[in-house]
Amino acid sequence: MNAHVANHNELRELYRELILDHARSPRHFGKLQCPTHVAEGLNPLCGDRLTVELAIGKDDRIADAAFNGSGCAISVASASIMTETIIGLLRSEATGRQQSIVALLRGELEPAEDIQLARIRALAGVREFPARIKCATLAWQALRSAIDEDGTRATTE
Ligand code: ZN
């Protein structure tokens, strides 16, 4: 049992480092050249304000994603992990993933076997800090808004 506890602590440490790494060096931070879908997420409780940009191709696949703005370490790490998670997915797949991860972060869903990605498990550690859950879900909520909004409406297409 001691070995189990040690492994658990090692995992927690690993997850903490993974989150800090994403917060310090966020992936896909910036703007896309030609975003098709954009949405802003605001978390007034913490002051996090992030904009999510997607480039969804004619095949309905998310070809690229980026985020910009400012926020606390958890919101930035979560946004960074979000972009890495959804690039390459079909829009419908991203919506499904978004729903299960938001439920996971809110504690409405237990980490399932299908959530094998270390970065998602790391993010789920936020459940121990209820005040920070909105920080962690912010980018995912903005993702949903971006997916649901048809950015091409603004063009003459
Ligand atoms: Zn925050």
Side-chain angles (χ1 to χ4, degrees), residues 43 46 48 72 75 132 135:
N43 175 22
C46 183
D48 309 317
C72 66
S75 67
R132 311 308 299 278
C135 301

Side-chain angles (χ1 to χ4, degrees), residues 96-138:
R97 189 64 61 89
Q98 187 270 352
Q99 285 172 330
S100 58
I101 288 172
V102 167
L104 178 72
L105 295 177
R106 286 180 177 157
E108 299 162 1
L109 194 73
E110 285 308 308
E113 284 176 21
D114 65 316
I115 299 181
Q116 291 167 339
L117 293 172
R119 55 191 181 221
I120 301 299
R121 289 193 174 273
L123 206 51
V126 77
R127 288 151 43 119
E128 292 175 34
F129 310 96
R132 311 308 299 278
I133 289 173
K134 285 186 175 170
C135 301
T137 56
L138 179 66

Side-chain angles (χ1 to χ4, degrees), residues 35-37 54-64 91 146-147:
T36 58
H37 295 66
L54 306 174
I56 300 179
K58 286 188 163 53
D59 57 358
D60 225 27
R61 204 172 280 284
I62 299 174
D64 206 356
R91 197 200 311 224
I147 288 175

